[in-house]
């Protein structure tokens, strides 16, 4: 049969646990294998390494790949576009069921390797293939994957393109069209336009921010916002603590640069901070200056916080986990008075992050901020720009790539609806050329 099947395994009804399978004849390529963070109340330091996959599937935390039993064909590769947990977090639980290599960029590969090493329940022996952005890899005689560099809120992210005898399938999850990223390459518009000229059968795209009008501000803006908050003050001697995503290397690097301008020593704390930063440093994505301090273990963190108290808060810029109020994170422990760090009246807490809009997160954040305020802290919220394309960026990508069919993924129904309305503006027709898929559904497309 000369058609391509798109199997919506996970991430089509929700944010998180992304997994799509593309069926080409009797061969299958899996795109992403993610975990849904809020379902296990996971944060970047969480441990689920002893849980069984079926248990996690039942919780709705990882994709229900049992539906793959009903799909004819053999899985030839697992391709991951970037290192966020909602794209790679289910690999330790699911990848061993497939006799296929895992293909991802070097930084993503390093994070996948760590994930596999931390797993206690399953043995994952799939070969790991590190493919650089801009390069291609022949999966089988008939399927080649191409990586096109694209900015996102984690370094070394790509749009993956599957070239098949029936046409190309573009997988754009996740991306922003940032022309001034602070680390890494701008979007490879030439490669994207070339795809559009040659013809694309289908594009599967994230929809996270498709309801937000306009275009996503560049990461350069976030860096300037941070600089303004940290340096633009008449109270430059007070205690300041920054909290942000441990995986957001560009943001962490901006903090290092601004700390230098402030004459403070950046001190990164938390196991996830250590993990993501060291991998980025080892692969040469960032250069850590000699004075940077990094502490992963809790006892080292507490020792460092004690040192900051005795030597003077004005000498250091602690960067900690806990921006979503995750229980057990360092900022929550500080707010609870469980560390040697004493919050004093006028100390500043800088949240370089948005609030993830789930009721649980909102409650955690509310509790955290209230406790910090009761100790006298001043709150600087949302010193942040998104890593996800807004509506007009989606419009541009859609018109650049010009796929025959477009499939919203990686989002809930409201996000997909906003995307579909935008696609209709661009001439696509719901049910004919723009397709709404729910988890567990399969779409067949003829070239
Ligand atoms: Zn992402």
């Amino acid at each position: 049969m000369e058609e391509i099947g798109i199997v919506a395994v996970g991430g089509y009804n929700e944010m998180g646990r992304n997994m799509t399978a593309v069926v080409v004849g009797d061969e299958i390529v899996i795109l992403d294998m993610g975990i849904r963070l809020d379902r296990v109340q996971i944060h970047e330091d969480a441990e689920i390494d002893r849980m069984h996959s079926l248990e996690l599937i039942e919780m709705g935390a990882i994709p229900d790949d049992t539906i793959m039993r009903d799909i004819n064909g053999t899985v030839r590769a697992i391709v991951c576009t970037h290192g966020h947990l909602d794209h790679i977090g289910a690999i330790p639980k699911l990848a061993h069921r497939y006799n296929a290599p895992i293909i991802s960029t070097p930084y993503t590969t390093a994070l996948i390797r760590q994930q596999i090493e931390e797993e206690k329940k399953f043995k994952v022996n799939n070969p790991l293939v590190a493919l650089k952005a801009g390069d291609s890899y022949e999966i089988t005689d008939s399927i080649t994957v191409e990586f096109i560099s694209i900015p996102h809120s984690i370094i070394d992210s790509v749009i993956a393109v599957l070239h098949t005898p029936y046409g190309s399938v573009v997988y754009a999850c996740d991306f922003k069209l940032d022309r001034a990223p602070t680390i890494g390459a701008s979007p490879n518009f030439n490669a994207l336009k070339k795809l559009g000229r040659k013809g694309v059968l289908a594009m599967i795209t994230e929809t996270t921010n498709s309801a937000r009008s306009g275009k996503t501000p560049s990461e350069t803006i976030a860096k300037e916002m941070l600089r303004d908050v940290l340096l633009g003050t008449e109270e430059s001697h007070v205690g300041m603590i920054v909290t942000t995503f441990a995986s957001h290397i560009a943001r962490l690097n901006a903090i290092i640069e601004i700390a230098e301008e402030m004459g403070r020593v950046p001190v990164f704390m938390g196991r996830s901070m250590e993990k993501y930063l060291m991998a980025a440093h080892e692969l040469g994505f960032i250069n850590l200056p000699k004075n940077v301090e990094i502490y992963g273990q809790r006892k080292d963190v507490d020792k460092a916080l004690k040192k900051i108290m005795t030597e003077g808060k004005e000498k250091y810029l602690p960067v900690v986990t806990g921006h979503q109020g995750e229980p057990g994170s360092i900022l929550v422990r500080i707010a609870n008075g469980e560390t040697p760090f004493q919050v004093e009246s006028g100390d500043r807490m800088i949240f370089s992050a948005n609030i993830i809009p789930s009721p649980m997160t909102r409650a955690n954040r509310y509790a955290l901020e209230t406790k910090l305020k009761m100790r006298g802290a001043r709150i600087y919220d949302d010193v942040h720009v998104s890593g996800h394309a807004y509506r007009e960026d989606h419009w541009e990508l859609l018109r650049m790539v010009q796929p025959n069919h477009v499939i919203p993924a990686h989002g809930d129904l409201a996000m997909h609806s906003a995307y579909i309305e935008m696609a209709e503006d661009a001439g696509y027709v719901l049910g004919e050329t723009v397709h709404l898929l729910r988890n567990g559904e399969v779409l067949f497309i003829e070239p």
Side-chain angles (χ1 to χ4, degrees):
M1 254 189 307
E2 288 202 349
E3 54 182 12
I4 281 196
I6 311 279
V7 188
V9 189
Y12 286 75
N13 297 13
E14 68 263 296
M15 288 287 289
R17 63 163 180 162
N18 296 296
M19 180 167 163
T20 299
V22 177
V23 187
V24 185
D26 59 357
E27 297 179 322
I28 301 171
V29 175
I30 289 174
L31 299 162
D32 288 330
M33 241 179 210
I35 193 160
R36 182 175 172 184
L37 305 168
D38 60 322
R39 280 294 167 99
V40 271
Q41 198 164 7
I42 195 176
H43 57 86
E44 283 148 339
D45 278 353
E47 281 183 352
I48 49 154
D49 43 9
R50 286 172 201 282
M51 291 176 75
H52 197 278
S53 7
L54 292 175
E55 198 181 341
L56 288 162
I57 287 172
E58 252 169 48
M59 287 166 66
I62 61 173
D64 183 3
D65 75 336
T66 56
I67 65 164
M68 294 299 291
R69 292 181 200 137
D70 302 327
I71 308 291
N72 290 324
T74 310
V75 173
R76 297 296 187 189
I78 299 164
V79 174
C80 295
T81 53
H82 64 281
H84 280 151
L85 289 175
D86 56 339
H87 293 253
I88 67 167
I91 284 175
K93 305 295 179 186
L94 298 179
H96 65 278
R97 306 191 204 199
Y98 307 97
N99 183 15
I102 301 168
I103 305 166
S104 58
T105 59
Y107 187 64
T108 309
T109 302
L111 298 177
I112 290 172
R113 189 170 288 122
Q114 287 178 355
Q115 288 264 305
I116 290 172
E117 281 165 6
E118 286 162 15
E119 172 65 21
K120 304 268 187 335
K121 185 91 190 164
F122 298 104
K123 199 138 192 65
V124 178
N125 291 318
N126 306 56
L128 302 184
V129 178
L131 180 68
K132 283 191 178 147
D135 286 355
S136 293
Y137 181 88
E138 212 169 88
I139 294 172
T140 66
D141 289 344
S142 54
I143 307 174
T144 298
V145 61
E146 177 189 1
F147 277 177
I148 296 176
S149 67
I150 200 80
H152 182 41
S153 44
I154 187 166
I155 51 172
D156 218 11
S157 295
V158 290
I159 286 177
V161 187
L162 299 178
H163 297 282
T164 82
Y166 313 131
S168 299
V169 177
V170 174
Y171 183 73
C173 300
D174 303 329
F175 73 96
K176 71 188 279 189
L177 299 184
D178 190 344
R179 274 103 175 148
T182 56
I183 293 184
S186 303
N188 188 342
F189 290 117
N190 285 335
L192 293 167
K193 286 175 187 164
K194 194 172 147 199
L195 283 175
R197 281 196 301 273
K198 280 166 65 180
V200 168
L201 180 61
M203 179 164 81
I204 303 158
T205 173
E206 67 135 322
T207 64
T208 312
N209 278 339
S210 56
R212 295 180 76 167
S213 66
K215 88 192 281 295
T216 316
S218 166
E219 179 60 21
T220 300
I221 305 288
K223 188 174 179 178
E224 286 313 311
M225 288 165 76
L226 258 176
R227 178 178 275 126
D228 193 33
V229 164
L230 290 167
L231 281 160
T233 173
E234 300 307 307
E235 296 188 13
S236 54
H237 277 68
V238 298
M240 297 189 197
I241 294 180
V242 183
T243 181
T244 189
F245 302 92
S247 58
H248 203 323
I249 298 302
R251 194 67 57 79
L252 300 182
N253 198 52
I255 295 166
I256 292 172
E257 287 180 34
I258 298 164
E260 165 96 66
E261 293 170 41
M262 298 166 78
R264 293 193 184 207
V265 175
V267 186
F268 293 90
M269 303 184 193
R271 272 188 298 150
S272 50
M273 288 281 175
E274 182 178 45
K275 186 172 94 171
Y276 288 104
L277 260 184
M278 289 317 292
H281 175 66
E282 279 159 22
L283 289 169
F285 284 98
I286 52 166
N287 269 319
L288 293 174
K290 286 218 158 40
N291 69 342
V292 171
E293 297 178 23
I294 303 171
Y295 303 102
Q297 300 298 321
R298 178 178 288 212
K299 63 174 194 317
D300 299 328
V301 168
D302 286 356
K303 217 190 277 174
L305 288 169
K306 195 171 179 186
K307 182 179 76 172
I308 290 167
M309 286 306 294
T310 38
E311 291 186 9
K313 287 176 183 171
E314 73 287 353
K315 294 194 176 74
Y316 295 93
L317 185 62
V319 187
V320 302
T321 55
H323 49 89
Q324 302 299 321
E326 303 94 323
S329 61
I330 296 169
L331 196 55
V332 168
R333 291 204 297 119
I334 288 173
N336 287 339
E338 294 165 8
T339 76
F341 190 96
Q342 303 291 322
V343 179
E344 290 158 293
S345 178
D347 281 355
R348 298 180 180 199
M349 304 295 150
I350 296 120
F351 289 81
S352 189
N354 58 328
I355 301 177
I356 295 168
S358 83
M360 196 183 65
T361 306
R362 284 187 206 279
N364 285 341
R365 246 312 264 279
Y366 174 79
L368 169 64
E369 279 189 38
T370 306
K371 285 175 186 168
L372 288 169
K373 282 182 202 161
M374 285 169 72
R375 292 176 184 273
R378 309 306 304 167
I379 307 290
Y380 292 74
D381 193 14
D382 206 21
V383 188
H384 180 66
V385 303
S386 176
H388 297 277
Y390 288 7
R391 188 188 301 140
E392 299 313 316
D393 301 310
H394 279 293
W395 168 269
E396 282 206 356
L397 183 72
L398 185 59
R399 306 228 308 170
M400 217 180 311
V401 175
Q402 302 170 54
N404 297 351
H405 298 269
V406 61
I407 299 118
H410 192 310
D412 60 26
L413 201 47
M415 294 165 180
H416 297 336
S417 302
Y419 187 91
I420 289 167
E421 285 183 340
M422 182 280 300
E424 285 177 341
D425 291 343
Y428 287 81
V429 178
L430 180 59
E432 289 179 22
T433 49
V434 56
H435 306 271
L436 178 65
L437 291 190
R438 306 294 282 163
N439 290 344
E441 291 184 346
V442 188
L443 170 75
F444 286 101
I445 298 172
E446 284 176 25

